[in-house]
Amino acid sequence: MLKLIRIFIVGLAAILISLIGTIYALLRLRHPSSVGVVARMFSQLHKLLGIKLICRPMPEFNQPAIYIGNHQNNYDMVTISSMMPERTVSVGKSSLIWVPFFGLVYWATGNIFIRREKRSSAISTMNQVASIIKQRQISIWMFPEGTRSRGKGLLPFKTGAFHTAIAAGVPIVPVVCSTLHNKIDLNRLNNGVVICETLPPIETSGYNRDNIKELIEKCYTAMQTKIAELDNEVAQLENLQQENSQ
């Protein structure tokens, strides 16, 4: 019964946020900070799902960058979305525009669409994104795995985010979320703790096409290590909560 109630309430709330977010973004003329405002609105849905969300953004960092996050499942919408910085838009596949309600708000907030099925189009878009970063002094949020991992751990990274960072001359800032796989049961009142954290920036000035794999490996290792640390911290916090409740 709880599951059905949650699905109805969360679904209704998501539609309302999409409609309100669309109007808000259009009134702001698709200002790049609208993405973060709407993303944080969606992240508030974690309360309806029985999640205690702990967010650790990076203080006092406001320069353009490429933010890369781990992409796990649909619950990213209410967890890692809370970490979207100011003046940051995301890059997503063009098919998102057809998702009811969400596609509209995704477009209205000024996010960038790419056609991943055409490599030439994707490369051209990444070059355009690099130019946009320089011209508008904004940041870009990307999921370098390219798809949801769905419990398979951190998947291998595609190169687009890293080529873009090098071309734009901006650092890469990893953002990670503790493991969500099998974490949330909609029939369970309390679904425990989820931690999201922003890692220190990784400079890209010393990298190019010849050694880009080293940059990718550096980012991958940093994120994988931090995810393991967060998972361990989550386990300790939840064990402590269980002991206190007994």
Side-chain angles (χ1 to χ4, degrees), residues 66-72 76 80 141-146 149 153-158 161-162 172-179 195 197-202 215-231:
I66 299 291
Y67 289 86
I68 56 173
N70 56 321
H71 199 11
Q72 300 186 66
D76 290 341
I80 201 168
W141 179 289
M142 301 179 72
F143 290 113
E145 295 163 278
S149 58
L154 195 63
L155 301 178
F157 288 170
K158 298 182 182 299
F162 306 93
I172 291 176
V173 182
V175 184
V176 295
C177 178
S178 58
T179 299
I195 305 175
E197 184 169 334
T198 302
L199 279 61
I202 296 175
L215 174 61
I216 294 173
E217 181 62 30
K218 184 175 184 178
C219 295
Y220 186 96
T221 300
M223 291 176 69
Q224 190 175 50
T225 300
K226 178 54 69 171
I227 291 169
E229 292 176 1
L230 294 183
D231 286 345

Side-chain angles (χ1 to χ4, degrees), residues 56-214:
R56 297 169 181 163
M58 183 169 52
E60 299 180 358
F61 181 82
N62 54 13
Q63 70 182 81
I66 299 291
Y67 289 86
I68 56 173
N70 56 321
H71 199 11
Q72 300 186 66
N73 54 37
N74 292 337
Y75 292 116
D76 290 341
M77 180 68 69
V78 300
T79 54
I80 201 168
S81 66
S82 63
M83 304 296 285
M84 181 70 72
E86 294 292 320
R87 294 191 61 81
T88 302
V89 302
S90 70
V91 174
K93 55 187 179 180
S94 56
S95 59
L96 286 174
I97 191 67
W98 303 113
V99 177
F101 299 103
F102 178 77
L104 182 60
V105 72
Y106 192 82
W107 167 81
T109 46
N111 293 292
I112 301 170
F113 293 96
I114 61 170
R115 298 179 63 183
R116 289 193 309 194
E117 66 274 11
K118 290 188 177 182
R119 178 174 173 78
S120 59
S121 175
I123 293 174
S124 176
T125 300
M126 289 300 99
N127 290 332
Q128 292 175 18
V129 170
S131 297
I132 291 171
I133 293 171
K134 295 177 181 178
Q135 294 169 5
R136 299 178 59 192
Q137 290 295 292
I138 63 172
S139 296
I140 303 295
W141 179 289
M142 301 179 72
F143 290 113
E145 295 163 278
T147 188
R148 298 173 181 85
S149 58
R150 301 190 187 281
K152 298 177 183 177
L154 195 63
L155 301 178
F157 288 170
K158 298 182 182 299
T159 61
F162 306 93
H163 279 298
T164 304
I166 292 171
V170 298
I172 291 176
V173 182
V175 184
V176 295
C177 178
S178 58
T179 299
L180 297 174
H181 184 63
N182 289 334
K183 175 79 176 179
I184 300 169
D185 181 348
L186 294 179
N187 275 319
R188 187 169 55 208
L189 188 62
N190 183 0
N191 282 302
V193 178
V194 173
I195 305 175
C196 297
E197 184 169 334
T198 302
L199 279 61
I202 296 175
E203 288 298 325
T204 61
S205 56
Y207 296 95
N208 51 47
R209 290 187 177 183
D210 296 330
N211 61 358
I212 193 172
K213 289 185 178 180
E214 296 177 15

